[in-house]
Amino acid sequence: MSASGWPITPLLFCLFSSATSSPVSISTSAPPLLSQISPPSPLPAILPSLLSPSLSVPPPIPPLTSNSAELTESVSCSLTMSPSALVVRFGDPVTANCSVRKLGFSLLGWIVSKEAPPPTQEHYLVWSVDRMTEWSIEPMCFAVAEMEGQCDIKLPLIVFKPPDNVSISFVNHTGPMFESHPYTLECTVKDVAPVENLIVTFHKGHTVLGQLQPNNNTEKAPVTEIFTLHLTPNKDDDGAEFWCEAKLELGPEGPPHPPVVRSQKLTATVLYGPQITCPTKLSVREGESFGCEVRGNPQPSVTWFRDGQVVALPNHSSIKHSGHYTVSANGLYGQKNFTVEVEVEVLKGGGTSNGCNRHFVLVVFLTQMINWL
């Protein structure tokens, strides 16, 4: 509804004042029928056609009092906006239609800072812009009622622009990272609008690490915003790819697929180790090899001991290789030792010799069959 002191108040007074000395009396002349309304024309051309020749233009009057404002609020505003809200990309065209559904309104117009159409006496009025180049704009449509006053309706409008670039890096750090040390990831979103509709998501591979939004930034024009996320890497992060994406959440009136811009992928190198993964007791079959998993970055050096002596692990184990072994790994964070009991299981039936006996019996049987034939 109209606020007190709105610039159109003097216009209303001119339209509806009487020729009498009272500045608030209403002319008794009948309002024009819709069939008598002339085609749309600029506001200065409309005023003479609406004013009776017998009416005089009174001197300027002060702004509406609180009582007048309360009366305006009570007016049943029959304005309709189509669409009811707009989301437009910077530089794209804009079109909106304002219409009045109720008879008795003599003037319909737009209050907007860019390419406002002239007021009209028709029941609808279209506002159109070939190229939206303003970031902060608040269009408003108004209607003037001859008996009730004036009313208005605002058009919510968001002008957006996807970021020019999104990048990711570690704050004050390049090169390899150390396991269990704290680091900070930084995602820079360049020239995005409006920033209050921005959501930034940090990723590690296919895993979401966190989502962030700006803090109380209502700037409508493009800005560059930096988002940070704290990280303490471990051995599993070695070789992982970190990246971030910036998405504009523009609501149901926005594009079906919200604008998304992704950063490059940052491959992490994490220094750690040594780490030994092995059971306390290891059972292997005769002829198999055995060992323990030793990890680290850089790769640790590994030495095996048996009975205090350095040994090389066999590629084909036998019963004689059963016993206690100690693996010693020397890496970035020093040396680690682990002792494992190895048990070599002998195959039942003599293993290889038994297989040879079966082949010998088969050859003898085939020889006898040939002789019979």
Side-chain angles (χ1 to χ4, degrees), residues 5 24 39 42 49 63 103 120 135 149 152 157 193 211 234 262 269-270 287 290 297 326-327 331 346:
V24 295
S49 65
L103 298 178
T120 181
W135 297 105
D152 57 66
L157 193 153
Q211 286 189 331
N234 56 41
R262 295 181 173 89
T269 299
V270 180
F290 59 87
N297 188 13
T326 298
V327 55
V346 179

Side-chain angles (χ1 to χ4, degrees), residues 195-196 212-218 225 227:
V195 68
E196 61 183 339
L212 300 174
Q213 289 183 276
N215 293 325
N216 302 321
N217 191 343
T218 59
E225 194 82 5
F227 301 82

Side-chain angles (χ1 to χ4, degrees), residues 224-266:
T224 296
E225 194 82 5
I226 299 176
F227 301 82
T228 58
L229 182 73
H230 299 295
L231 174 71
T232 303
N234 56 41
K235 65 181 185 302
D236 296 327
D237 295 324
D238 185 37
E241 292 181 329
F242 294 91
W243 54 285
C244 63
E245 67 175 12
K247 178 168 64 174
L248 283 172
E249 289 286 1
L250 299 169
E253 292 82 15
H257 302 287
V260 177
V261 179
R262 295 181 173 89
S263 72
Q264 80 283 12
K265 292 183 178 180
L266 182 64

Side-chain angles (χ1 to χ4, degrees), residues 292-307:
C292 297
E293 182 185 9
V294 179
R295 296 179 60 191
N297 188 13
Q299 182 65 37
S301 61
V302 179
T303 306
W304 284 88
F305 296 88
R306 183 181 183 186
D307 299 329

Side-chain angles (χ1 to χ4, degrees), residues 2-53:
S2 299
S4 175
W6 195 39
I8 200 165
T9 302
L11 173 62
L12 295 176
F13 187 87
C14 295
L15 294 176
F16 309 118
S17 62
S18 171
T20 63
S21 60
S22 175
V24 295
S25 62
I26 302 176
S27 172
T28 58
S29 59
L33 298 177
L34 289 178
S35 60
Q36 299 172 333
I37 296 177
S38 59
S41 56
L43 182 59
I46 292 175
L47 290 178
S49 65
L50 295 178
L51 294 174
S52 171

Side-chain angles (χ1 to χ4, degrees), residues 139-195:
M140 177 188 294
C141 176
F142 68 90
V144 178
E146 295 180 350
M147 301 299 295
E148 298 174 320
Q150 62 191 46
C151 68
D152 57 66
I153 182 173
K154 292 183 178 180
L155 173 64
L157 193 153
I158 297 176
V159 181
F160 73 92
K161 174 188 171 295
D164 290 339
N165 181 59
V166 177
S167 60
I168 190 170
S169 61
F170 285 100
V171 177
N172 300 325
H173 179 80
T174 58
M177 298 181 292
F178 291 92
E179 183 182 28
S180 301
H181 286 218
Y183 297 90
T184 301
L185 274 173
E186 182 176 82
C187 185
T188 302
V189 184
K190 185 178 180 181
D191 290 337
V192 61
V195 68

Side-chain angles (χ1 to χ4, degrees), residues 61 82 158 241 270 274 285-286 309 321 328 359 361 368 373:
I61 60 173
S82 179
I158 297 176
E241 292 181 329
V270 180
R285 291 183 179 183
E286 188 178 17
Q309 301 296 319
H321 293 118
S328 178
H359 285 92
V361 172
Q368 291 178 351
L373 294 174

